[in-house]
Amino acid sequence: TASSARAAGAASAYVAARPAEAEPPLPPVAPYPATGEPGVATDDPLTAYRKANVYPPTSRPLTRDQDDLLHPGQRHESFRPTEHGLGLSFLFTADRYFVIGDEVLTATLEVRKDGRALPARVVRAAATVLDPRRRDDPPIALSYAPAGERYAATFAPAKLGLARQAAISMTIEFDAGHGLEHGHFDFQYTPTGGIPARFTGAFSEAVDRGSLVIRAGVEVAVAGHYLIDCNLFDAANEPVAWTRWKGELSAGRQDATLEFFGKVLVDGKARGPFHIGQLRGARYAPGEDPDLEQMPPFLGTYTTRPYPTEAFSDAEYDSPEKRRMIDLITNDRAHRGAAAGAPAPGEPAPASTP
């Protein structure tokens, strides 16, 4: 298996780190922190753009604070006050956002008054498929039962017989002794027959142009444009990088190339062996709602060779698009400076009159 070891037969290659050929580099700048910079930014537009683009948009640093990337299927509801106030609050949520195939969703309701758990009576609860083609389908009634300080219900959307992915609304009406309250959330379901592709568990690796590249095998059932995300962890099991691959995949066995940018690893002082986590993906389905058909996430991992930090390039991200944007910002600054009587970048200031 691919877990904690390279897949059998996976090819490995080591190419000396080197930056991509480009125009002479600009003076280096320090990137903004991965989780943003506190306070109001005071950098000029050119410096701000360069700091935000030290790394490519599809390969960035990853830290423990980035829960949305480390736990991509996790829900983020929080306690909210009831309509009647009186110190009452409730949390209506579930154990996941994406449900695939035969997976079962567990929904929970928790009611509190001044921070203490409060009993409640569930008056009505249901699940409804949010698909105009099924507008005549009646809501599916759900039953909630006590589960510690909460009330819980399980729901198996596979029983609905859906042919393709759909958003499903969960609603609840309850009374905690002060009148009727309402709660709702949505989740996304992909039936087994609607899964567009699956990860095979086959991997290979290389250091290419100073970046770590891992190729992930994909068995594609439905050709199309895919988005595939993956996280990377270092030898100490610390998150160091995130990457996104975007591209067309034809039906059959294919590879998705996951590039972890060299400077991200160098700046993070990361050393191998590295291993992947939270490998997930989706197929873009234009005109549909939801328009991303989910792949089952890969539940295993893959471990690379023990690369030293020096194996990777410290070169800043460069591309024709980035150069064009820098030229645009520079020319705009020059134009506005000349219009105000100020020197354009690179020109000396006018001599002051006595």
Side-chain angles (χ1 to χ4, degrees):
T1 67
S3 299
S4 72
R6 292 188 302 278
S12 295
Y14 187 100
V15 181
R18 64 182 187 280
E21 293 182 6
E23 299 177 33
L26 294 165
V29 295
Y32 286 126
T35 53
E37 196 167 67
V40 178
T42 58
D43 292 320
D44 65 272
L46 179 59
T47 301
Y49 175 80
R50 292 195 56 216
K51 282 187 173 183
N53 291 277
V54 168
Y55 314 116
T58 56
S59 183
R60 314 288 292 188
L62 181 63
T63 69
R64 289 284 180 195
D65 297 327
Q66 294 172 282
D67 283 343
D68 57 331
L69 294 175
L70 292 172
H71 307 285
Q74 181 174 287
R75 304 193 64 93
H76 298 282
E77 288 90 4
S78 58
F79 276 91
R80 52 179 293 185
T82 64
E83 296 175 9
H84 294 85
L86 305 173
L88 291 172
S89 62
F90 73 96
L91 174 61
F92 183 46
T93 187
D95 59 343
R96 65 191 71 198
Y97 180 77
F98 298 110
V99 180
I100 299 175
D102 294 331
E103 293 176 346
V104 175
L105 179 90
T106 298
T108 57
L109 170 70
E110 187 172 357
V111 184
R112 292 185 174 273
K113 180 177 176 61
D114 299 325
R116 298 188 302 274
L118 194 69
R121 179 174 62 91
V122 176
V123 177
R124 189 179 296 107
T128 305
V129 179
L130 302 178
D131 185 340
R133 290 164 291 195
R134 299 176 66 102
R135 68 176 73 240
D136 295 330
D137 290 5
I140 300 98
L142 299 176
S143 178
Y144 283 74
E149 295 185 342
R150 303 180 298 174
Y151 298 85
T154 57
F155 178 52
K159 296 179 179 179
L160 300 177
L162 299 177
R164 70 169 303 275
Q165 150 168 326
I168 297 177
S169 174
M170 301 285 284
T171 57
I172 194 167
E173 297 178 22
F174 64 94
D175 188 343
H178 299 277
L180 202 60
E181 301 285 350
H182 304 80
H184 83 278
F185 65 80
D186 297 344
F187 72 92
Q188 196 168 307
Y189 173 63
T190 303
T192 300
I195 294 173
R198 297 177 184 270
F199 296 106
T200 65
F203 297 92
S204 62
E205 69 188 74
V207 176
D208 185 14
R209 293 189 298 175
S211 295
L212 175 62
V213 174
I214 297 176
R215 293 178 178 84
V218 181
E219 183 68 42
V220 181
V222 184
H225 188 81
Y226 281 78
L227 312 176
I228 293 179
D229 293 358
C230 187
N231 298 336
L232 188 73
F233 299 79
D234 65 11
N237 199 32
E238 287 298 316
V240 292
W242 160 88
T243 192
R244 166 169 288 177
W245 178 86
K246 298 187 291 185
E248 299 293 325
L249 290 176
S250 56
R253 291 216 164 203
Q254 308 295 339
D255 283 337
T257 301
L258 308 171
E259 179 178 350
F260 298 95
F261 191 62
K263 186 169 175 58
V264 172
L265 305 180
V266 172
D267 288 354
K269 300 179 175 57
R271 303 182 67 85
F274 299 97
H275 65 275
I276 65 167
Q278 296 82 47
L279 175 59
R280 65 271 189 198
R283 176 184 176 271
Y284 178 50
E288 298 288 352
D289 185 17
D291 61 5
L292 287 176
E293 298 173 343
Q294 300 297 314
M295 298 170 57
F298 183 65
L299 301 180
T301 187
Y302 169 76
T303 302
T304 72
R305 295 167 59 187
Y307 299 105
T309 308
E310 296 74 21
F312 308 109
S313 171
D314 190 34
E316 188 176 319
Y317 165 64
D318 198 6
S319 72
E321 293 79 10
K322 180 178 176 180
R323 287 275 173 172
R324 281 195 292 270
M325 183 58 71
I326 288 174
D327 289 343
L328 182 65
I329 296 172
T330 302
N331 292 336
D332 182 62
R333 288 202 315 171
H335 173 74
R336 287 187 291 108
E347 296 181 359
S352 59
T353 55

